[in-house]
Amino acid sequence: MRRLVSELYVRDNCHPFKATVLIWIQLPMWIFMSIALRNLSTGATHSEGFSVQEQLATGGVLWFPDLTALDSTWILPVSVGVVNLLIVEIFALQRHGMSRFQMYITYFVRAVSVLMIPIAATVPSSIALYWFCSSLMGLAQNLLLRSPRFRQLCRIPSTKSDSDTPYKDLFAAFYAKFILRK
């Protein structure tokens, strides 16, 4: 069996490590960027002239004019949690017949998404804004990579599970799971 699996890895060029390599790059980058923004927001870094902390204190927009302060309206923290939860639900809606382990992981990631709300409420708005933008880009990539036209344009080979109408299918699954559920 191991020999057969190894031959499939070589033949299809799809070793499982390749699927996780992005996480091993993306997760440390996310952590280091969050720490850097925290240090910049709290004044832990020193620079000559007009400090970065002063620039962040006056560089916000809309309801968060001060990026060094917490978001007292909770709009950014809730947005972070909702977008992360949406990403998890989109992933879960496409999966049918998940194993028990996959279901536990999905529940765990849902819990982490909800837990991100109070965590994002305790950090400066600059970090919450970074987390929100990062999550929004992840959601956009997830949706874009479902598009048959985009996949064809990027020469991403289609699979048996690909749909010609992925967005309609996603909406129908979402509607069936959350709206029609009684």
Side-chain angles (χ1 to χ4, degrees):
M1 185 65 156
R2 284 185 178 165
R3 186 181 57 81
L4 181 61
V5 169
S6 295
E7 288 174 5
L8 286 174
Y9 288 160
V10 171
R11 185 190 79 191
D12 295 334
N13 194 20
C14 65
H15 195 276
F17 181 73
K18 288 183 179 181
T20 64
V21 86
L22 184 61
I23 294 171
W24 297 114
I25 295 169
Q26 194 173 15
L27 189 60
M29 181 68 88
W30 184 81
I31 291 169
F32 291 137
M33 285 293 295
S34 298
I35 292 170
L37 282 171
R38 183 202 61 199
N39 290 343
L40 291 171
S41 297
T42 60
T45 60
H46 301 289
S47 62
E48 296 179 19
F50 200 52
S51 77
V52 175
Q53 184 184 16
E54 291 172 5
Q55 293 176 17
L56 287 173
T58 60
V61 294
L62 302 173
W63 68 92
F64 51 97
D66 184 357
L67 290 171
T68 63
L70 305 178
D71 183 5
S72 60
T73 63
W74 281 61
I75 293 173
L76 279 175
V78 169
S79 298
V80 168
V82 167
V83 171
N84 284 329
L85 197 56
L86 194 56
I87 292 169
V88 173
E89 291 306 320
I90 287 172
F91 179 77
L93 286 174
Q94 77 179 13
R95 297 285 182 174
H96 298 289
M98 286 195 290
S99 70
R100 181 172 286 183
F101 178 72
Q102 289 172 326
M103 288 181 59
Y104 289 147
I105 293 295
T106 302
Y107 286 130
F108 174 75
V109 176
R110 283 178 180 145
V112 169
S113 297
V114 172
L115 188 62
M116 283 299 291
I117 296 172
I119 293 171
T122 62
V123 298
S125 294
S126 61
I127 298 173
L129 181 62
Y130 167 65
W131 289 351
F132 174 67
C133 291
S134 178
S135 297
L136 209 57
M137 287 304 296
L139 177 63
Q141 287 174 346
N142 195 333
L143 292 174
L144 188 62
L145 287 172
R146 293 180 185 279
S147 169
R149 286 184 184 160
F150 181 77
R151 291 174 64 90
Q152 185 178 18
L153 180 69
C154 293
R155 296 188 177 131
I156 299 172
S158 59
T159 62
K160 295 176 188 174
S161 62
D162 286 345
S163 170
D164 292 333
T165 58
Y167 303 119
K168 287 181 183 178
D169 297 344
L170 189 61
F171 180 75
F174 183 83
Y175 188 78
K177 183 174 181 178
F178 297 108
I179 307 298
L180 294 179
R181 189 168 120 182
K182 295 178 184 177

